[in-house]
Structures are given as structure tokens and as C-alpha cells.
Amino acid sequence: QVQLVESGGRLVQVGGSLNVSCAASGSILNIHVMGWYRQAPGQQRELVATMTTRGITTYADAVRDRFTISRDGAKNTVHLEMSSLKPEDTAVYFCYADVSEITSSDGDSLAYRDLEIWGQGTLVTVSS
């Protein structure tokens, strides 16, 4: 079963920088899209940034000029570099992946299924 594990969330001061990372593991055939969403207390989960296999990125307007997403396809990891952090960036950051998971492999044949999976989240707190 494919799993996502995030790391790097912590308390940081306003204006500071922080990197969070996510690693995917399991029977992965391909990760089509990988990225980050966040959920602040009392708010709905929202897009932060995603990146496709071809390197096409999508950013939320609120973070576009401050956050940078990157992926390592060989390691099945995604990273989010956050700078100029604001109190409103405080949230649980969830890793997301649109992935093809291998369900069986038998000589010449291979079966897979497409899944959208989420990590458990990592807390980023921006304190003034």
C-alpha cells in the first residue's frame, strides 16, 4: 500500500523560513501529481502547491511568491520551501499524491490502480 510521510513542521517566527518534506513508499508505478494542501483551525483544507511529473506547478495565490515546490522523481519525494512566513500560514500541511499503485505483477503482465492519497499532516505554526 502506498503511503505518504511528511516531516519538517515546527514553530517558526514571522518572516522566517521553513522546509517541509514528504516521502512516498510502497508499490508505486508512477506518481502523476504530488504536492501540498493545508488546513488551518476551523478552516477547510486548501491547495498550497502541486507539481506534475513533467514539472508543471500550481500555486495558491496566497503563497505564489513565497513558497517553492520541488520533486525528486527518483526518490518519490516532494519538498516545500516556505519563506516570509506569516501567521496566516499556520496550519497542518498535508502531502498529497495522485499515484498509480501496482496491485499485481506476474511476468509479462502488470496491474495497477489509480489512487489519491494523503499523508497524516505536519503542523507548521508561525508565531509573532
Side-chain angles (χ1 to χ4, degrees), residues 4-64:
L4 302 176
V5 177
E6 303 101 333
S7 62
R10 62 175 176 83
L11 175 66
V12 64
Q13 296 296 310
V14 168
S17 299
L18 183 66
N19 295 339
V20 291
S21 298
C22 172
S25 62
S27 301
I28 298 168
L29 177 62
N30 189 25
I31 301 178
H32 310 288
V33 180
M34 205 169 185
W36 296 91
Y37 286 69
R38 67 186 181 185
Q39 187 167 16
Q43 303 295 318
Q44 291 187 331
R45 192 173 298 188
E46 62 179 9
L47 168 74
V48 177
T50 60
M51 179 179 279
T52 69
T53 304
R54 295 184 178 182
I56 298 171
T57 58
T58 300
Y59 289 95
D61 289 342
V63 308
R64 186 179 306 279

Side-chain angles (χ1 to χ4, degrees), residues 10 15 19 36 38 43 47-48 51 54 58 60 66 73 79 82 89-90 100 103 106 109 114 120:
R10 62 175 176 83
N19 295 339
W36 296 91
R38 67 186 181 185
Q43 303 295 318
L47 168 74
V48 177
M51 179 179 279
R54 295 184 178 182
T58 300
R66 300 184 294 121
H79 310 279
M82 302 182 284
D89 294 317
T90 294
S100 291
T103 55
D106 179 14
S109 67
D114 292 324
Q120 292 187 331

